Amino acid sequence: MNDVMTLSQKADALEQQMSDELDYIVIKSRLYTLADADPSPPPNAAALMAQNPKARVLMGDDPRLPPMPEKPTLIDFFKYRFGPCMHLLQSARHAVNGGLSEKMVLACLLHDISTIGFIRGDHGYWGAQLVEPYVDDEVTWAIRAHQVLRFYPDESVGYEYPQSYVKTFGADYRPDPYVEEDYQRMRKHKWYMSGRMITVHDIYSFDPDVHVVLDEFTDIIGRNFRQPKEGLGFDNSPVAHMWRAMIRPAKYL
Ligand SMILES: [Fe+2]
Ligand SMILES: [Fe+2]
């Protein structure tokens, strides 16, 4: 009987331990609270813990999110962290149909990864930075450039200022001066047309009836994205911390 009790006690203890492990406090980064226009001081971890002595601030994986593999690949980020990505998949297929090179198809596939997985504002700059160590320089350049070029027409390839922008930003919207300055620089760059091609295959690509799956691009990713063997976030690259921020977006420190 004693043995049975012991086993039962062990089970209780294990259960308690498991529920304790789920007892955690999330303290958001300043960026999230600023995006909610909340200028108040950050929550005080000690005060929150005083109310709930068993809880700890989150320093590991966030149980609310899908777990990531130990050595995550780009495809794992698409699966477990990026939101719906049909716009990117359709852009990439549109680029294939337009006869673009594999690396430019990859650029189209990745051009908005910051919008779907990281930070919206200046998403072309963030997105280019995220992939810079893993792709051809021209891909990085083009992703950065699409941020800027989409605001400027180019009749030579039939690209007009998007009507959707008139509706979304208002007819009187003008890009910020740093965008205009970048446009002047990018217009003269040898890879201008690569950046421009992203905008061409970006704007006209969305069709709610066309369904594309990521598997279609597995080979192109394999040949054109230098997946680090340690996993994105753990390869000691200059941007590894940015990928880790997507793995654990609520990590306290
Ligand atoms: Fe974009
Ligand atoms: Fe886009």
Side-chain angles (χ1 to χ4, degrees):
M1 183 68 183
N2 275 347
D3 284 351
V4 173
M5 288 297 287
T6 305
L7 281 173
S8 163
Q9 282 166 350
K10 275 184 185 166
D12 286 350
L14 186 63
E15 200 166 52
Q16 184 61 45
Q17 187 192 341
M18 284 167 71
S19 86
D20 286 353
E21 280 168 5
L22 289 175
D23 217 354
Y24 58 94
I25 296 166
V26 171
I27 296 181
K28 290 179 184 171
S29 288
R30 188 69 168 164
L31 195 58
Y32 301 94
T33 53
L34 283 176
D36 284 331
D38 174 7
S40 58
N44 183 305
L48 289 170
M49 290 176 71
Q51 291 165 16
N52 190 359
K54 280 188 187 165
R56 297 286 178 269
V57 293
L58 194 59
M59 286 295 283
D61 288 335
D62 189 332
R64 301 168 301 172
L65 290 173
M68 293 285 286
E70 241 174 74
K71 299 175 180 177
T73 64
L74 178 65
I75 289 173
D76 291 325
F77 277 89
F78 269 96
K79 279 189 198 159
Y80 304 120
R81 284 298 180 270
F82 297 167
C85 60
M86 197 48 66
H87 166 67
L88 289 182
L89 297 173
Q90 288 188 3
S91 294
R93 185 191 274 177
H94 201 264
V96 170
N97 293 342
L100 261 55
S101 66
E102 277 201 355
K103 73 176 172 185
M104 285 311 302
V105 170
L106 182 76
C108 290
L109 181 67
L110 301 181
H111 77 277
D112 282 339
I113 57 166
S114 185
T115 312
I116 64 170
F118 196 54
I119 295 175
R120 292 196 64 89
D122 278 340
H123 72 284
Y125 299 96
W126 286 112
Q129 192 178 355
L130 277 167
V131 301
E132 190 156 24
Y134 315 111
V135 298
D136 190 277
D137 289 347
E138 188 177 349
V139 172
T140 307
W141 194 91
I143 292 174
R144 185 173 290 116
H146 102 276
Q147 162 85 44
V148 169
L149 299 181
R150 65 213 174 100
F151 293 112
Y152 300 90
D154 183 342
E155 283 176 16
S156 78
V157 290
Y159 181 85
E160 297 172 346
Y161 184 79
Q163 280 306 304
S164 62
Y165 286 5
V166 176
K167 198 172 172 192
T168 314
F169 308 138
D172 57 349
Y173 174 75
R174 296 290 174 274
D176 291 303
Y178 73 89
V179 173
E180 172 67 25
E181 286 163 24
D182 247 358
Y183 172 66
Q184 296 304 335
R185 281 190 287 270
M186 289 169 171
R187 190 75 188 80
K188 299 179 198 118
H189 196 278
K190 63 176 175 179
W191 287 331
Y192 164 75
M193 202 42 84
S194 302
R196 174 55 72 196
M197 280 301 114
I198 295 184
T199 69
V200 167
H201 293 283
D202 187 358
I203 297 303
Y204 302 116
S205 66
F206 191 73
D207 182 340
D209 298 324
V210 176
H211 188 73
V212 189
V213 292
L214 187 60
D215 290 353
E216 239 177 76
F217 304 101
T218 307
D219 291 346
I220 288 183
I221 292 171
R223 285 191 289 268
N224 295 276
F225 187 90
R226 293 185 289 273
Q227 172 64 46
K229 64 179 186 321
E230 303 88 346
L232 288 165
F234 306 103
D235 59 338
N236 196 34
S237 85
V239 301
H241 60 286
M242 293 166 67
W243 292 90
R244 291 197 299 269
M246 291 187 280
I247 297 172
R248 294 175 170 177
K251 192 167 185 243
Y252 183 58
L253 288 179

